[in-house]
Amino acid sequence: MKKFFSRSASRFSAAAFQRSAKFAKFTEFDARELSRIVGPNGILTDPNDTTPYSTDWTRQFQGATAAVLKPKSTAEVAAILRHCNDRNLAVVPQGGNTGLVGGGVPLFDEIVLSTSRMNEIRAIDATTGIVVCEAGCVLERLDARLAEHGYAAPVDLGSRGSCQIGGNVATNAGGTRLVRYGSLRGTVLGLEVVKADGTVLDFMTSLRKDNTGFDLKQLFIGSEGTLGVITGVSFLAVQRSVTVDVAYLACSSFNDAIEVYRRSRRRLGEVLSACEFMDGEAMRLVNTHLGLENPFLGRPNYPFYVLVETAGSAGSNSSSQLETFLEDLFEEKLVCDGILAADGRQATALWALRERIAEALRIDGYVHKYDLSLPLSQLYELVEAMRKRTGGIAKSVVGYGHLGDGNLHLNLTSDENSEQLANVIEPFVYEWTASRRGSVSAEHGLGLMKAHCISYSKSPEAIQMMMDLKRMLDPKGILNPYKTLPMY
Ligand code: FAD
Ligand code: 2HG
Ligand code: ZN
């Protein structure tokens, strides 16, 4: 496999990369012109203020920026990009900065274009559930507004309190509801995007069906800020469920966990709303670092846990469907322990065990994070292979993820960023995945961390076409350089 650039021990700091000489340096002139566009409150240049924007959620990607810009409208975004394109200034679009692959933070001195002040909901159609909003709407707040109309966002993830809908679309975020509602590629109906040269692309249709020519918005979904800045999103909200039930199950083998998933699809059908798994190591970390209680206290730490959620509309019998399903699982000895949340508070506590693993890992140490799509039957083999391979070098080797999507989150920690451990893991983890025709990025994207890995999952022809599109839409390459695509 071809690597496009290599990394050193300080692999995610600017030292591991080279600033491209084609970009201009930010000057007093730029500061003056850009603050004219966004106003004095829309620009930050003091490093004390900009550091949070150049440090990612994992705290493992630390870069620097000349300025953070916070436009309030699409017109301001267009004016910023026109200026930056004319001046050859590199720009990093940023939403809630919860990305996990270093895609939303600048490396050297790139300007951060934050959508945090673009958070207006333009319209909610109470009949159809079609929503039109600005890119900077925080997912949780957006979802709360939809709840007032009996709707919910079609995507949900642990970072809901900070991530923005624009960031979700830019990464094509998966999350815990994909098993029920599918990917954002299906639920996003329209986009408003600003090209690198400041041209506003109005793909803001609010139609469920539209087969006139190519579906251009798809190009920008999952493009990680490299092709344009998303300023507006139109999407189809889903009906908000009335009865939600959560079961947390313990299994003695991964094969049993797969069987629980297979049967949950068959038996729970349209009321199945989530099917997640975590291993005993993940449970140990959330217990130890976050003080979250194992619901099976006093019993052994089981090797695998599966969270099954059902959600139904008013009058549905989703709760009793889940109960009968669980009884059968016990009878057939597919689960060794199980708990059904009695109320919303317990359900939230069970969800926390799964959703807060990333937080526990961050406390455990330096994290080597992998997000892989694999054939379900082989998904956990990689965790086992990794444990064997790393021997005692890794502090923790943890496997969890979106079981229903065939998406493994493999995380290994060490006390310090260890080059020795990194070299044991990579490229093995990518080669192993590629040899099973898996994906080296199931849902987090490539960002800075995996830009050099694209060829493990995409053919040379596909990569070439991506580069051609990048050149067409952003000929000067000012949008999110060093990320996602190989250097060109
Ligand atoms: P940012 O982190 O700000 O940016 C992410 C990328 O999108 C960057 O490349 C950036 O340049 C680009 N971008 C952001 N906004 C725009 C825009 N308006 N226009 C163009 N480009 C833009 N991800 C999942 O897929 N599934 C999960 O289950 C999941 N769970 C998570 C749980 C936790 C606790 C955390 C911290 C993260 C999780 N993530 C998950 C990763 C992350 O939250 C998602 O990728 C999220 O969609 C990023 O949104 P954001 O607004 O924070 O984007
Ligand atoms: C999740 O599903 C997120 O919890 C984070 O995608 C995964 O930290 C990770 O590896
Ligand atoms: Zn995930």
Side-chain angles (χ1 to χ4, degrees), residues 206-255:
S206 292
L207 305 169
R208 293 223 35 199
K209 299 173 93 171
D210 176 15
N211 279 352
T212 49
F214 306 143
D215 187 359
L216 294 175
K217 70 172 183 295
Q218 294 294 347
L219 263 184
F220 297 88
I221 302 177
S223 65
E224 301 183 64
T226 59
L227 297 182
V229 176
I230 298 166
T231 52
V233 181
S234 146
F235 66 90
L236 184 68
V238 297
Q239 206 62 46
R240 200 165 198 89
S241 299
V242 176
T243 54
V244 179
D245 291 277
V246 177
Y248 198 77
L249 310 167
C251 295
S252 58
S253 73
F254 190 68
N255 277 345

Side-chain angles (χ1 to χ4, degrees), residues 326-484:
L326 295 182
E327 280 163 18
D328 293 351
L329 289 182
F330 272 104
E331 208 153 288
E332 295 189 43
K333 299 198 171 22
L334 275 172
V335 295
C336 19
D337 229 329
I339 183 168
L340 185 59
D343 52 31
R345 200 183 47 81
Q346 275 187 17
T348 306
L350 294 177
W351 262 114
L353 292 167
R354 163 62 188 88
E355 283 192 334
R356 296 186 63 192
I357 302 169
E359 221 179 301
L361 280 158
R362 198 168 63 164
I363 300 169
D364 199 50
Y366 184 93
V367 186
H368 301 258
K369 198 173 270 306
Y370 302 93
D371 162 39
L372 312 150
S373 267
L374 286 164
L376 205 49
S377 59
Q378 294 175 327
L379 188 130
Y380 202 75
E381 280 175 23
L382 179 57
V383 184
E384 283 159 348
M386 209 43 104
R387 280 202 184 109
K388 200 159 152 205
R389 192 174 162 81
T390 52
I393 318 174
K395 187 173 175 188
S396 311
V397 181
V398 176
Y400 65 106
H402 311 286
L403 189 59
D405 310 333
N407 181 179
L408 169 70
H409 292 312
L410 166 69
N411 284 258
L412 299 94
T413 64
S414 48
D415 283 324
E416 303 287 328
N417 179 6
S418 147
E419 185 157 23
Q420 186 198 5
L421 178 57
N423 290 336
V424 173
I425 304 170
E426 294 181 28
F428 174 83
V429 66
Y430 296 127
E431 285 168 357
W432 198 97
T433 302
S435 70
R436 273 101 184 145
R437 293 190 70 83
S439 168
V440 296
S441 175
E443 60 172 8
H444 297 160
L446 295 166
L448 186 66
M449 180 187 171
K450 298 184 210 158
H452 65 292
C453 297
I454 189 169
S455 52
Y456 287 107
S457 297
K458 287 289 184 295
S459 67
E461 296 75 22
I463 297 170
Q464 188 56 52
M465 196 177 282
M466 291 186 209
M467 310 269 273
D468 292 345
L469 287 164
K470 168 75 176 169
R471 273 192 205 100
M472 186 184 88
L473 291 165
D474 177 17
K476 293 184 167 185
I478 64 158
L479 284 177
N480 225 359
Y482 323 110
K483 319 278 177 58
T484 311

Side-chain angles (χ1 to χ4, degrees), residues 57 92-100 103-104 115 135 156-159 162-168 170-176 224-225 228-231 354-355 358 402 409 443-444 480:
W57 185 89
V92 178
Q94 189 179 92
N97 196 11
T98 66
L100 297 172
T115 47
D156 192 24
L157 49 161
S159 57
S162 306
C163 67
Q164 302 174 2
I165 190 72
N168 299 150
T171 55
N172 186 28
T176 52
E224 301 183 64
V229 176
I230 298 166
T231 52
R354 163 62 188 88
E355 283 192 334
H402 311 286
H409 292 312
E443 60 172 8
H444 297 160
N480 225 359

Side-chain angles (χ1 to χ4, degrees), residues 272-295:
L272 179 69
S273 53
C275 189
E276 299 282 313
F277 91 99
M278 59 193 274
D279 64 10
E281 271 297 272
M283 176 62 88
R284 183 180 65 76
L285 293 189
V286 293
N287 297 158
T288 313
H289 296 309
L290 305 176
L292 301 183
E293 211 165 78
N294 186 331

Side-chain angles (χ1 to χ4, degrees), residues 53-116:
Y53 297 84
S54 45
T55 311
D56 83 317
W57 185 89
T58 65
R59 303 186 199 116
Q60 291 178 192
F61 299 92
Q62 169 73 68
T65 180
V68 175
L69 301 175
K70 297 177 161 193
K72 275 185 146 170
S73 67
T74 302
E76 288 185 9
V77 173
I80 290 168
L81 290 181
R82 257 193 310 275
H83 175 89
C84 293
N85 198 51
D86 287 349
R87 284 269 302 119
N88 290 325
L89 289 168
V91 177
V92 178
Q94 189 179 92
N97 196 11
T98 66
L100 297 172
V101 288
V105 285
L107 210 51
F108 301 102
D109 55 358
E110 302 92 280
I111 291 170
V112 173
L113 194 163
S114 163
T115 47
S116 56

